């Protein structure tokens, strides 16, 4: 090329949830039977979308206008429905103009960070679902700015650490959090959310809440939304239906903007994000048309309740499976359907292994390990792939230095799930004790 066409931050774009699949696929082709625990897709794991949701989609598909382009910010009825539903909670009030649809929350995330001033930083949790910190770092050309979720404290963050980081870094303009959280299953308690709002108010920041999993809360925890307690502080909530209907292939998510008029800079930023949407024409339209039908259907709440009851049972199984296992910590998730196991500091080394019977898989494994850059937790994950055929995601793939792995509560088959948890439980001491 006559000039350098590679973005200086091109190396920041790593998505371990799918990258690990490339290796797992090679091992599978080599004859290892694979169990996929890497991705948060309930449908791929066998959850059945209820027939009545499919019927709503069929009805929408019969409307000719559902095949047309829609308004740039999304179908009017869907935006009005989302705004009404938010307003009925009694917190920050919005109009349909504060709602904008995207091709999935992932798309909304990428747009959000692209239109921020390059010098403005967003403080993100560590660990966290990596797209936020990845896009933020890519956009600013710097390493992510992170606050910590602490596994020794039920994954709760320390609000004083957040305050200190904001105080020290004048370029921080926003704080992002995911509630319920991916990869930890943490449900943010109300008092911590209030603490975040106070920090934002004190320092003139806005808040970004990824609330993709807000209807998936269990074990007696309460789902508190950003809009419930944001008061006058500017903020953005990201919501979608990938996890909720669930319908990951719909590629449908949206932004809700709170208190646009509270700050002129925030308003100009939001306007620029919305202007950019017009250039793109519109997001997937047909699926937006199903939202008022599906979410207002009397069966919807019951459907979510049934799913949450199943996840609650599995969260207990997960917790029990790792209770008392030396060298690891596993916190019971109370939301989403994701859960993580963290190795004790110093527990992993590069001499540990599991016996790998499949010679071709061993060859693939040795090749990957040979370059010497594999993190200790990814090394464990790779051995698990080659020796057992369970595909989880290393925790260092979630913007974190904590060694561990993320798995899911999604396996619907009781005996298969019991096998997954008990095998993980068995293989951890075997791996740790092997050297
Ligand atoms: C916290 C979080 N946000 C966003 C997404 C992406 O959602 P979507 O399918 O709506 O793009 C995911 C997917 O796993 C997620 O876990």
């Amino acid at each position: 090329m006559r000039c350098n066409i590679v973005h200086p931050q091109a190396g920041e774009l790593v998505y371990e949830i799918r990258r690990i699949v490339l290796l797992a696929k090679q091992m599978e082709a080599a004859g290892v039977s694979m169990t996929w625990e890497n991705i948060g897709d309930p449908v791929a794991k066998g959850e059945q979308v209820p027939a009545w949701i499919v019927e709503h989609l069929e009805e929408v598909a019969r409307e000719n206008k559902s095949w047309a382009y829609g308004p740039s910010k999304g179908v009017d009825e869907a935006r009005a429905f989302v705004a009404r539903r938010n307003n009925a909670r009694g917190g920050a009030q919005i109009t349909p103009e504060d709602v904008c649809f995207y091709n999935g929350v992932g798309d909304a995330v990428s747009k959000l960070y692209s239109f921020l001033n390059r010098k403005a930083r967003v403080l993100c949790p560590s660990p966290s679902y990596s797209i936020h910190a990845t896009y933020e770092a890519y956009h600013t050309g710097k390493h992510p700015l992170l606050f910590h979720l602490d596994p020794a404290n039920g994954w709760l963050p320390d609000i004083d650490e957040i305050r200190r980081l904001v105080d020290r870094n004048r370029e921080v303009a926003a704080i992002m959090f995911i509630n319920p959280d991916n990869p930890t299953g943490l449900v943010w308690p109300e008092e911590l959310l209030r603490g975040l709002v106070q920090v934002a108010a004190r320092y003139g920041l806005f808040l970004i809440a990824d609330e993709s999993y807000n209807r998936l809360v269990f074990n007696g925890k309460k789902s508190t939304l950003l809009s419930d307690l944001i008061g006058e502080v500017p903020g953005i909530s990201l919501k979608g239906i990938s996890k909720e209907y669930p319908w990951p292939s719909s590629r449908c998510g949206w932004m809700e903007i709170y208190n646009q008029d509270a700050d002129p800079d925030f308003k100009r930023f939001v306007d620029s994000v919305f202007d950019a949407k017009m250039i793109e024409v519109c997001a997937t339209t047909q699926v937006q048309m199903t939202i008022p039908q599906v979410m207002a259907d009397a069966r919807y709440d019951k459907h979510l309740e049934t799913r949450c009851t199943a996840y609650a049972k599995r969260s207990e199984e997960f917790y029990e499976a790792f209770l008392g296992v030396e060298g690891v910590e596993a916190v019971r998730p109370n939301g989403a359907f994701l859960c993580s196991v963290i190795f004790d500091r110093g527990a992993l080394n590069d001499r540990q292994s599991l016996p790998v019977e499949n010679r071709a898989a061993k060859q693939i494994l040795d090749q990957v390990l040979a370059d010497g850059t594999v993190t200790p937790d990814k090394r464990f994950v790779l051995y698990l792939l080659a020796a057992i055929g369970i595909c989880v995601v290393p925790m260092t793939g979630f913007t974190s230095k904590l060694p561990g792995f993320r798995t899911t509560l999604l396996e619907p088959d009781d005996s298969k799930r019991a096998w997954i948890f008990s095998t993980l439980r068995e293989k951890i001491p075997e791996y740790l004790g092997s050297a």
Side-chain angles (χ1 to χ4, degrees), residues 133-167:
T134 302
Y135 275 121
E136 199 271 348
Y138 189 80
H139 177 66
T140 58
K142 296 185 176 161
H143 291 298
L145 268 178
L146 304 168
F147 65 92
H148 296 95
L149 303 180
D150 181 3
N153 192 22
W155 286 118
L156 293 174
D158 174 2
I159 204 79
D160 289 331
E161 185 201 20
I162 296 175
R163 197 177 291 111
R164 268 196 312 276
L165 284 163
V166 170
D167 196 56

Side-chain angles (χ1 to χ4, degrees), residues 15 104-107 129 131-132 178 182 210 212-213 242-243 248 251-252:
Y15 190 62
V105 172
D107 180 32
Y129 179 62
I131 58 171
H132 289 270
I178 305 172
N182 176 5
D210 183 331
S212 296
Y213 298 92
S242 289
K243 317 296 174 178
R251 308 317 302 131
C252 176

Side-chain angles (χ1 to χ4, degrees), residues 258-270:
Y258 309 125
N259 304 317
Q260 265 199 67
D261 296 320
D263 180 285
D265 285 344
F266 183 64
K267 168 103 181 98
R268 278 176 53 215
F269 164 64
V270 168

Side-chain angles (χ1 to χ4, degrees), residues 134-276:
T134 302
Y135 275 121
E136 199 271 348
Y138 189 80
H139 177 66
T140 58
K142 296 185 176 161
H143 291 298
L145 268 178
L146 304 168
F147 65 92
H148 296 95
L149 303 180
D150 181 3
N153 192 22
W155 286 118
L156 293 174
D158 174 2
I159 204 79
D160 289 331
E161 185 201 20
I162 296 175
R163 197 177 291 111
R164 268 196 312 276
L165 284 163
V166 170
D167 196 56
R168 269 193 222 139
N169 295 284
R170 277 203 62 80
E171 68 275 29
V172 171
I175 305 169
M176 187 284 288
F177 64 99
I178 305 172
N179 185 29
D181 186 55
N182 176 5
T184 65
L186 166 72
V187 174
W188 280 64
E190 199 174 309
E191 67 273 17
L192 267 177
L193 293 174
R194 289 195 191 282
L196 272 192
V197 171
Q198 274 169 10
V199 173
R202 155 92 174 73
Y203 288 90
L205 314 180
F206 70 100
L207 293 170
I208 303 171
D210 183 331
E211 299 181 323
S212 296
Y213 298 92
N214 74 84
R215 296 295 312 270
L216 302 176
V217 175
F218 36 86
N219 293 336
K221 297 288 172 188
K222 182 174 153 236
S223 168
T224 306
L225 295 180
L226 178 62
S227 71
D228 293 340
L229 39 69
I230 192 167
E232 307 292 308
V233 170
I236 300 176
S237 164
L238 302 162
K239 297 191 175 81
I241 62 167
S242 289
K243 317 296 174 178
E244 230 184 88
Y245 274 26
W247 190 3
S249 73
S250 66
R251 308 317 302 131
C252 176
W254 65 93
M255 282 185 201
E256 294 170 14
I257 312 285
Y258 309 125
N259 304 317
Q260 265 199 67
D261 296 320
D263 180 285
D265 285 344
F266 183 64
K267 168 103 181 98
R268 278 176 53 215
F269 164 64
V270 168
D271 284 347
S272 70
V273 173
F274 287 171
D275 288 346

